[in-house]
Amino acid sequence: MKSTTQYLLKLVAAATLSTVFAVQVVAETLLDDLISACGLSAQLAQMPELVKAGVRQGADQGVAFSEQEMEQVLAGVDEHFIPERMQAENTSTKRPLLAVGEIEELLAWYRSPLGRQITQLEEQASSAEALAAIMERADELLKDEERVAIAKELDKAIGATDISLEMQKSTALAVFAAMSKKMSPGNAVKLEGYAKQIDAMSPQLRAGTEQLVVLSFVYTYENVDDENLNRYQRTLANPVFQKFNEALGDALVDSMAKSVTLWIEELPAILDPQAGGQASSV
């Protein structure tokens, strides 16, 4: 179990980068335009690959799935971690929170030259290749003390560390459930104990997540000049953007947790079809 726990904690790094920049959504037809302009669609599209990567890594570290089992588990990820559904849930649940004028204000920003530049950079940074580059350049990036300080302010404004931690917990529980069901096919998956382990390790997880968030921001915006980066900071301090980011963060966490629950409920039928038991909920 120790090796399994250590492995799952590695998901923190993988999950953070894909969620750190997804902090942007929520009245009518303009909302779809806003979703597209802020880059949420492209970032949600990467969510299934996060869980798949975790399952594959678990298999590489000793949890041996047969080829058929692996195909079925990964197919279940595609079935339940559906970016379009997650986006629709974000839109429908947060629609009443923004007035049309507020959506227009947000949309004007994302369609501006700086808004488009920031969005493009964030999308590019939400990839496995970007994560590898960030980790390889970590020492170099941390030496830029001025940009590190700015990155910390951006994290506070967006709430990236908090959202990333919640998303990571959901991802870790999903992968833990898959590995546990494979190792003990006749038993129900007990998630409560592992969830408590994650909660107990929250201080350590937060420290690591916050550092990766900071590194990610420094890396992503390193070619944005100081004037434009300061403009971005001022934009994030706007109450409309604060409302927007908070609402979307809540929606992303809720949607991810729902997807995980649905997927876990299907695991017994995938890996232990004769038993047909149910995984316990957290």
Side-chain angles (χ1 to χ4, degrees):
M1 182 60 70
K2 181 179 179 181
S3 61
T4 299
T5 301
Q6 290 174 339
Y7 147 66
L8 285 170
L9 293 180
K10 294 179 182 179
L11 290 175
V12 169
T16 297
L17 193 62
S18 292
T19 60
V20 71
F21 298 118
V23 188
Q24 277 114 343
V25 133
V26 201
E28 296 299 335
T29 56
L30 285 175
L31 197 55
D32 290 334
D33 293 336
L34 177 59
I35 291 172
S36 177
C38 77
L40 178 67
S41 300
Q43 293 159 14
L44 281 177
Q46 299 179 33
M47 291 297 178
E49 292 305 317
L50 274 178
V51 181
K52 289 182 181 181
V55 174
R56 292 190 184 102
Q57 189 172 357
D60 291 341
Q61 296 190 6
V63 183
F65 292 94
S66 69
E67 183 176 347
Q68 181 179 8
E69 288 171 338
M70 180 63 76
E71 290 178 356
Q72 291 172 322
V73 169
L74 298 183
V77 174
D78 287 329
E79 181 179 347
H80 296 299
F81 294 80
I82 303 173
E84 293 80 8
R85 192 205 72 224
M86 297 174 76
Q87 177 173 309
E89 290 174 350
N90 290 337
T91 303
S92 63
T93 58
K94 302 308 175 186
R95 188 180 301 275
L97 297 182
L98 290 176
V100 171
E102 292 174 325
I103 295 176
E104 290 175 335
E105 180 180 349
L106 291 163
L107 197 53
W109 157 257
Y110 284 110
R111 287 175 171 171
S112 71
L114 180 57
R116 288 197 300 267
Q117 179 189 13
I118 293 293
T119 299
Q120 183 178 22
L121 290 172
E122 292 173 348
E123 289 178 3
Q124 292 171 351
S126 301
S127 67
E129 293 78 13
L131 174 60
I134 289 170
M135 301 309 292
E136 183 177 348
R137 296 180 53 200
D139 292 339
E140 172 195 348
L141 295 171
L142 288 174
K143 289 179 181 178
D144 191 339
E145 296 181 359
E146 183 177 351
R147 286 300 177 104
V148 166
I150 292 174
K152 290 181 179 180
E153 291 301 317
L154 291 172
D155 183 20
K156 291 180 182 179
I158 297 174
T161 293
D162 292 335
I163 294 170
S164 294
L165 279 172
E166 293 304 316
M167 300 284 277
Q168 290 157 25
K169 289 178 183 179
S170 292
T171 304
L173 286 172
V175 178
F176 175 79
M179 294 193 301
S180 296
K181 194 61 186 176
K182 172 59 182 175
M183 291 185 290
S184 302
N187 300 319
V189 177
K190 300 297 184 181
L191 296 179
E192 293 183 1
Y194 185 66
K196 290 179 180 178
Q197 288 184 46
I198 296 178
D199 289 339
M201 298 181 67
S202 288
Q204 300 97 303
L205 293 176
R206 173 173 290 278
T209 300
E210 184 177 7
Q211 183 176 55
L212 187 56
V213 167
V214 168
L215 285 169
S216 300
F217 282 149
V218 175
Y219 172 86
T220 302
Y221 307 124
E222 63 180 341
N223 293 321
V224 179
D225 62 46
D226 291 342
E227 180 181 355
N228 280 324
L229 196 55
N230 288 333
R231 285 177 58 198
Y232 184 40
Q233 284 185 276
R234 292 194 296 271
T235 297
L236 291 175
N238 182 321
V240 174
F241 276 78
Q242 291 178 340
K243 182 200 297 189
F244 177 60
N245 288 333
E246 182 179 355
L248 180 61
D250 290 344
L252 286 171
V253 170
D254 291 346
S255 183
M256 184 68 170
K258 180 178 180 180
S259 296
V260 167
T261 298
L262 292 172
W263 186 61
I264 289 175
E265 288 176 351
E266 186 178 289
L267 283 174
I270 293 175
L271 297 175
D272 189 17
Q274 292 184 342
Q278 294 291 318
S280 67
S281 59
V282 179

